[in-house]
Amino acid sequence: MKSHEITRRWVDYFVSKGHTAVPSASLVSSDPSLLFTVAGMVPFIPYLTAREEPPYPRATSVQKCIRTGDIEEVGKTARHGTFFQMCGNFSFGDYFKEDAIKFAFELLTKSVDDGGYGLPAERLWVTVYEEDDEAERLWLTHTSIPPERIQRMGKSDNYWSTGQPGPAGPCSEIYYDRGPAYGIEGGPAVDDNRYIEIWNLVFMQYQIENVRSKVDFDIVGELPKKNIDTGLGMERLAMILQGVENMYETDQVRPVIDKASELSGREYTSAETADDPHHADDVRMRVVADHVRSALMLIADGVTPSNEGRGYVLRRLIRRAVRAMRLLGVEKPVLPELLPASRDAMKGVYPQVEKDFDRISRIAYAEEKAFLRTIAAGTTRLEEAVKLSRASGTALSGEEAFTLHDTYGFPIDLTLEMAEEAGVPVDEAGFRSLMEDQRTRARADAKEKKSGHADLSAFQELLAEGPTVFTGYTELDG
Ligand code: ATP
Ligand code: MG
Ligand code: MG
Ligand code: MG
C-alpha cells in the first residue's frame, strides 16, 4: 500500500467517525517556543490546553513533522526520520479512552478490502502506563489483544506532559511485531527494533502542578474536559505494509537511496547491523535520502539556510547529506541529482514541491556549492597536514583536526576518512577533548551573558558573520 493510500484511508476512516479533516500545518511552528512542528498535536495546542474554544469536537490530520532530536538515529534504526508524517485523531472534551482504543484497533486490523490496513491482530502488542488499569481493561474488553501482549511501562515511557503545569496524562502505545528475524522475544519492553512502535494514544486526563521534572509532579485533579491526542507514524506503517526493512525504503524515500547508489556506484543492501560490511555505506545512503527530503520540505515551508535557529538546522541537514555522499566517494555537486528524485517522490502528496521547485532548488544548490568551497579549502590544508604527519611518522594531531573543524568548517568524519585513506592515524581523543573544552567555554559564556556580567552580543554577532566559525559550538560532529 502506497503512502498516499495510507493517508487517504486514515482521513476517510476518521471522517466516517465524525472527525473534521484538518490540513497539515507548516513545519514552521506557529508556537514561538518550538522551532518546528514536532507532532500532530502542535497546531491543536490552544484547544488541548483549553486556551481557545475548539471549532470542532473531533479532528483528524496528517501532519508534517521535523524532529531534529532524532538526527543521530537516522539510518541506524529502522524507524527514525528527521522528517516524517504523523497521522492523528483528536478529541477535545468529546470521546475518551474507550473510543480511542476501539478506533485504533479497528482501523489497524480491519481488512484492506474494507478500508482498513489489514494488520494481523496477533502481531500487535500494547503498552499502558503502569497505574492505568482502566486502559488495560479497555484493551482486554474491546479488542482481541490478550493480557500477555499488554505491558506496563513507567512515567518516562508512558506518560505525557509538557513539563509545565497544565494538562497531562497516561499513554498507551501500539507496537507491531516484525518477527524473530528482527530480535528477541518478549515484547516492546525488551526489544524496540523487533517490536516497532507505530501509534501513541495520549489520554489527557489530569491537571498537574508543582512540576519538578517531566516525571515528577503533583496531580491536583481531573481535567473538566478530557482530551485525546494520538499519533501514528505514517512511514512506520508504510514500512510494514510495503514489506520493506525500514522507513527509508518506503515509496516516498527509497528513490533517493537508489539515486545515491547510482551516483556512487555502491550497491544498497538493506544492511541492518554494524557487523555487516555494507552497513556504513547503507547508513550513509539512508541518511542522504532522509536529509534531502527534510531539506526539500523545510525550504518548501519557507526556511532558508543560515547560522542560527531553523536555518541552521536546514544548513546542517544539507551539509550532512553532502558529506555522506562524499564519504560514498562522490565529490561533485549531488543535490542537482538527488533533490529532483525527492521532489518526484513527494509531489503526489505535496504538489507545491513541484510548483515551487525553481525557488527551492536554487536555495539548496547554492548552499551545497558554498559548502563544497569550504570543503575544498579544508582539503588543501588537510593534505598538507597529512604529508607532514606521514613524513614524521606521527598521528595527525587533535589540534590540527580541531583547527580544520573549527576554522575551516571541515567535518571531522571527513578528516578521519581522508587521513585513514592516506594511512595516517588521527588523534581523535585529542580532538574530542578540544571540542569538549570549547563547549564548556561556550556554556560558561552563555551563563555569563545570562547573568548579566558581560554583554557578549557584539562578540556573538561577529562569530555569526564568519561562515564557519559558528559551527564549532552547536554542530557536534561537524
Ligand atoms: P520512538 O520511541 O520510536 O522514538 P516516540 O515515542 O518518540 O517514538 P511519539 O512521540 O510517541 O514517538 O510519536 C508518535 C508516533 O510518531 C510514534 O509512535 C511513531 O510512530 C512516530 N514517530 C515518532 N518519531 C518519529 C521519527 N523520528 N520518525 C518517524 N516516525 C516517528
Ligand atoms: Mg522518539
Ligand atoms: Mg517511544
Ligand atoms: Mg511514543
Side-chain angles (χ1 to χ4, degrees):
M1 194 182 292
K2 293 267 193 274
S3 293
H4 66 83
E5 179 64 18
I6 293 174
T7 52
R8 197 181 60 76
R9 280 170 190 246
W10 178 274
V11 174
D12 285 353
Y13 177 81
F14 282 104
V15 166
S16 82
K17 301 290 178 193
H19 295 64
T20 299
V22 178
S24 176
S26 168
L27 285 171
V28 176
S29 162
S30 54
D31 184 330
S33 66
L34 285 170
L35 271 192
F36 297 111
T37 302
V38 292
M41 55 84 75
V42 170
F44 300 111
I45 288 173
Y47 311 145
L48 293 166
T49 52
R51 264 185 284 141
E52 276 177 38
E53 191 61 36
Y56 27 65
R58 322 178 158 195
T60 185
S61 66
V62 179
Q63 175 63 51
K64 299 179 273 186
C65 296
I66 290 275
R67 284 196 183 178
T68 50
D70 288 342
I71 198 166
E72 294 300 335
E73 313 298 325
V74 171
K76 297 178 194 144
T77 71
R79 66 183 200 279
H80 289 104
T82 50
F83 172 91
F84 65 99
Q85 293 146 87
M86 198 185 285
C87 301
N89 58 289
F90 306 90
S91 157
F92 312 113
D94 189 23
Y95 65 86
F96 199 49
K97 271 182 215 185
E98 179 175 329
D99 279 335
I101 287 172
K102 282 184 182 165
F103 290 156
F105 186 78
E106 181 181 49
L107 177 56
L108 288 178
T109 57
K110 203 161 108 99
S111 77
V112 170
D113 289 342
D114 226 4
Y117 296 127
L119 295 184
E122 321 80 76
R123 295 279 194 136
L124 300 180
W125 286 64
V126 163
T127 63
V128 297
Y129 172 57
E130 57 195 359
E131 291 171 22
D132 196 356
D133 299 333
E134 183 191 13
E136 175 161 18
R137 182 176 54 71
L138 290 168
W139 280 108
L140 291 171
T141 318
H142 296 288
T143 76
S144 63
I145 307 272
E148 60 275 16
R149 290 211 310 272
I150 301 180
Q151 297 184 317
R152 291 185 174 231
M153 302 263 211
K155 270 215 182 73
S156 60
D157 288 300
N158 276 36
Y159 214 89
W160 178 87
S161 84
T162 61
Q164 301 287 326
C171 313
S172 180
E173 296 194 320
I174 306 171
Y175 291 73
Y176 180 83
D177 179 3
R178 298 203 286 164
Y182 294 89
I184 53 171
E185 217 160 307
V190 302
D191 189 331
D192 65 2
N193 181 51
R194 168 172 171 169
Y195 303 90
I196 289 271
E197 178 186 330
I198 54 174
W199 198 344
N200 188 3
L201 314 180
V202 180
F203 310 129
M204 287 184 200
Q205 186 169 5
Y206 301 112
Q207 178 73 23
I208 61 168
E209 298 286 345
N210 307 320
V211 182
R212 293 166 291 273
S213 78
K214 275 213 125 175
V215 292
D216 184 17
F217 44 74
D218 300 332
I219 293 176
V220 293
E222 298 250 335
L223 290 175
K225 280 188 158 189
K226 299 186 180 65
N227 302 317
I228 290 294
D229 152 30
T230 91
L232 166 134
M234 195 285 292
E235 288 80 356
R236 294 189 187 180
L237 182 58
M239 112 192 196
I240 293 163
L241 294 177
Q242 293 172 16
V244 293
E245 298 302 315
N246 53 62
M247 64 167 277
Y248 324 100
E249 297 176 13
T250 57
D251 59 321
Q252 290 182 339
V253 195
R254 173 73 196 225
V256 183
I257 290 187
D258 293 337
K259 200 49 156 182
S261 166
E262 182 192 317
L263 287 174
S264 62
R266 302 206 191 171
E267 192 191 353
Y268 178 75
T269 68
S270 296
E272 217 195 307
T273 51
D275 54 8
D276 187 320
H278 283 287
H279 187 253
D281 277 357
D282 284 3
V283 168
R284 286 169 189 149
M285 289 187 238
R286 296 192 283 250
V287 164
V288 167
D290 173 83
H291 289 11
V292 167
R293 177 165 84 144
S294 301
L296 174 79
M297 299 306 290
L298 279 170
I299 302 173
D301 273 356
V303 180
T304 52
S306 78
N307 271 345
E308 57 185 19
R310 298 180 177 115
Y312 186 68
V313 171
L314 171 61
R315 171 158 288 169
R316 188 164 177 226
L317 288 164
I318 291 175
R319 289 182 166 202
R320 282 175 56 109
V322 169
R323 201 169 89 216
M325 285 303 291
R326 270 187 96 84
L327 294 172
L328 289 164
V330 185
E331 300 193 353
K332 62 172 191 180
V334 291
L335 289 183
E337 306 268 358
L338 299 172
L339 200 66
S342 188
R343 171 200 64 199
D344 292 343
M346 296 301 288
K347 68 186 181 192
V349 179
Y350 301 97
Q352 67 273 28
V353 300
E354 186 172 37
K355 273 193 238 131
D356 204 13
F357 194 68
D358 269 353
R359 183 189 67 85
I360 297 170
S361 58
R362 239 181 296 121
I363 291 169
Y365 300 165
E367 179 65 13
E368 174 174 32
K369 271 209 188 120
F371 185 47
L372 291 178
R373 279 196 298 273
T374 300
I375 289 185
T379 302
T380 310
R381 180 169 173 128
L382 177 64
E383 280 167 357
E384 283 302 308
V386 162
K387 228 186 271 163
L388 288 174
S389 293
R390 211 171 19 206
S392 60
T394 53
L396 195 123
S397 70
E399 286 86 6
E400 182 59 32
F402 182 76
T403 304
L404 275 161
H405 167 88
D406 195 48
T407 309
Y408 289 78
F410 197 78
I412 182 65
D413 59 359
L414 281 185
T415 298
L416 293 173
E417 184 104 354
M418 288 169 69
E420 190 192 324
E421 269 169 20
V424 169
V426 177
D427 175 13
E428 202 184 335
F431 168 80
R432 302 265 166 223
S433 112
L434 288 167
M435 284 292 287
E436 192 45 47
D437 290 352
Q438 188 190 50
R439 252 173 246 144
T440 312
R441 274 198 311 276
R443 271 196 294 270
D445 284 355
K447 212 165 153 193
E448 205 174 337
K449 189 178 180 189
K450 219 170 165 182
S451 63
H453 288 317
D455 181 4
L456 295 176
S457 52
F459 179 59
Q460 301 282 3
E461 267 164 32
L462 214 76
L463 282 181
E465 266 172 29
T468 56
V469 186
F470 181 76
T471 58
Y473 283 92
T474 28
E475 196 173 17
L476 290 183
D477 290 310

